[in-house]
Amino acid sequence: MGYMPNENRYESITYNRCGRSGLKLPPISLGLWNNFGGEDVLENQRKMLRKAFDLGITHFDLANNYGPPPGSAEENFRRMMEKDFTGYRDEMVISTKAGYTMWPGPYGDWGSKKYLVSSLDQSLSRMGLDYVDIFYHHRPDPETPLEETMAALDLIVRQGKALYVGISNYNAEDTEKAIDILEKQGTPFIIHQASYSMLNRWVENGLTDLLDKRGAGCIAFVPLAQGLLTDKYVNGIPKDSRAAKQYIRSLNEKDISTEVIEKVLQLNEVAKNRGQTLAQMALVWILQEKSVVSALIGASKVSQIEENVKALENPDFTADELTRIEEILT
């Protein structure tokens, strides 16, 4: 007998409206950036996707270059859709992106209309889908006019290849320009995917205020700072950690400084007093920020997903807790 989802999967999660759009997202979404590529065990990937869906996680986030090798996460996602989720597509929000190097030559990178349209066609083919729910431009392109990049997003929606569009890794100034252009074109901008955690708060410097003002949502990626906001790195770098994987460039031994570890230890005490793990507290902390509708987690095993979702059982902070956290972080 095939996979049968938990019948009560929607009962314990409150879904958040993404800006002023009609789209609602779970407060915790699952990203397939790491641990879902061709070098990872497919059966473990299936177990994680099943568990996430059973717990009410409806949003699954990919990109054209996720792997390794690039494209393999989308290919594996197709395998899992075919095996387990064929009848549940309309209950899932699936997103992908383009903006980083994907194939050789002048048309396989950045933000031209040529690249974005071609990349999404390839992504849809790899995933076996007719459309994605959200398509993002993955990073700003310093050479292609922003009008062209946004025109590509507008075209993709009008072609029916994506229901909604957004951007990722843009600063506040360029985000506002993108919103203005899309507004004139008649395709609403609804979401910005930005890195955000207790240890990485750049979005608070104008971006979240802008998104709130313009009626868009923010989904926060690396909310656990690549595992730093857990107890994983307190005693060094485990061999199975992200910092130890050669293909992960965003977290290295130099990121795990004495100062950072001291903050982590103090935050962990606050979390213990709340009856949470540090990871759980870190997730609900970013959800306090206005415009943040979802925390985009990564996982390497089922138990991590279960732990993260349990964070939603205690989402509120006292004034004293927030003050203490601010003292630790500043």
Side-chain angles (χ1 to χ4, degrees):
M1 190 172 181
Y3 166 60
M4 297 293 292
N6 171 22
E7 293 181 357
N8 302 316
R9 58 190 177 276
Y10 299 121
E11 293 183 2
S12 60
I13 284 187
T14 300
Y15 295 82
N16 298 324
R17 187 169 298 280
C18 190
R20 290 194 290 265
S21 76
L23 183 65
K24 292 183 178 181
L25 296 178
I28 292 178
S29 301
L30 181 62
L32 280 68
W33 178 20
N34 300 309
N35 304 311
F36 287 87
E39 298 178 3
D40 300 292
V41 178
L42 184 64
E43 194 55 37
N44 186 51
Q45 298 176 39
R46 289 181 67 192
K47 289 177 181 177
M48 289 192 286
L49 242 65
R50 287 177 171 190
K51 177 55 67 175
F53 196 62
D54 281 343
L55 293 173
I57 293 176
T58 53
H59 177 31
F60 302 93
D61 180 77
L62 298 106
N64 59 353
N65 62 334
Y66 287 179
S72 61
E74 291 180 330
E75 291 169 347
N76 282 341
F77 188 74
R78 176 178 187 158
R79 295 184 179 102
M80 292 182 282
M81 286 291 293
E82 291 173 346
K83 287 179 180 291
D84 299 325
F85 298 100
T86 300
Y88 302 97
R89 173 65 181 96
D90 293 340
E91 298 181 43
M92 304 170 78
V93 173
I94 300 168
S95 60
T96 195
K97 318 174 197 71
Y100 286 93
T101 302
M102 190 57 193
W103 63 86
Y107 316 121
D109 200 351
W110 293 106
S112 70
K113 183 181 287 188
K114 169 69 173 173
Y115 170 53
L116 295 181
V117 173
S118 299
S119 179
L120 180 54
D121 284 345
Q122 292 182 21
S123 289
L124 292 174
S125 177
R126 281 191 292 268
M127 290 189 286
L129 300 177
D130 296 323
Y131 71 97
V132 291
D133 297 277
I134 305 170
F135 182 66
Y136 296 91
H137 184 222
H138 208 164
R139 63 170 172 171
D141 181 346
E143 296 184 350
T144 299
L146 191 57
E147 288 79 5
E148 177 179 338
T149 300
M150 295 304 108
L153 299 185
D154 175 69
L155 173 65
I156 282 164
V157 170
R158 294 180 189 279
Q159 289 176 331
K161 296 175 182 177
L163 302 185
Y164 304 95
V165 291
I167 56 177
S168 182
N169 299 308
Y170 278 60
N171 63 28
E173 180 182 359
D174 289 339
T175 297
E176 184 156 39
K177 291 176 183 177
I179 292 172
D180 288 338
I181 295 167
L182 283 169
E183 197 171 78
K184 290 177 183 177
Q185 293 174 340
T187 292
F189 170 94
I190 73 155
I191 192 166
H192 189 299
Q193 186 171 134
S195 62
Y196 183 36
S197 74
M198 285 178 156
L199 300 177
N200 174 22
R201 302 175 65 179
W202 73 276
V203 299
E204 297 173 11
N205 189 26
L207 181 60
T208 52
D209 287 338
L210 170 68
L211 296 174
D212 186 57
K213 180 180 73 173
R214 299 300 296 268
C218 177
I219 180 169
F221 73 90
V222 292
L224 302 181
Q226 292 285 70
L228 286 175
L229 289 168
T230 69
D231 60 4
K232 180 184 292 187
Y233 295 105
V234 173
N235 298 312
I237 302 178
K239 291 182 179 179
D240 64 345
S241 70
R242 293 183 183 186
K245 287 190 176 182
Q246 294 300 311
Y247 62 87
I248 302 299
R249 304 295 185 191
S250 53
L251 182 63
N252 298 295
E253 290 192 50
K254 63 181 175 60
D255 297 308
I256 310 174
S257 66
T258 302
E259 180 183 2
V260 168
I261 293 302
E262 180 58 33
K263 289 182 178 181
V264 167
L265 292 172
Q266 293 181 52
L267 290 169
N268 194 44
E269 288 303 309
V270 179
K272 284 181 181 178
N273 290 332
R274 286 172 48 82
Q276 290 183 315
T277 66
L278 175 55
Q280 289 170 337
M281 184 180 78
L283 288 173
V284 291
W285 182 85
I286 61 168
L287 290 169
Q288 302 293 306
E289 176 63 43
K290 59 185 172 183
S291 84
V292 174
V293 296
S294 190
L296 184 59
I297 65 167
S300 60
K301 51 190 175 184
V302 165
S303 60
Q304 292 172 336
I305 298 173
E306 293 173 319
E307 178 193 345
N308 289 168
V309 172
K310 282 182 181 177
L312 302 175
E313 296 174 3
N314 184 17
D316 300 318
F317 290 84
T318 67
D320 288 344
E321 286 172 337
L322 290 173
T323 298
R324 176 59 183 144
I325 289 169
E326 198 63 32
E327 288 173 351
I328 294 168
L329 295 177
T330 54

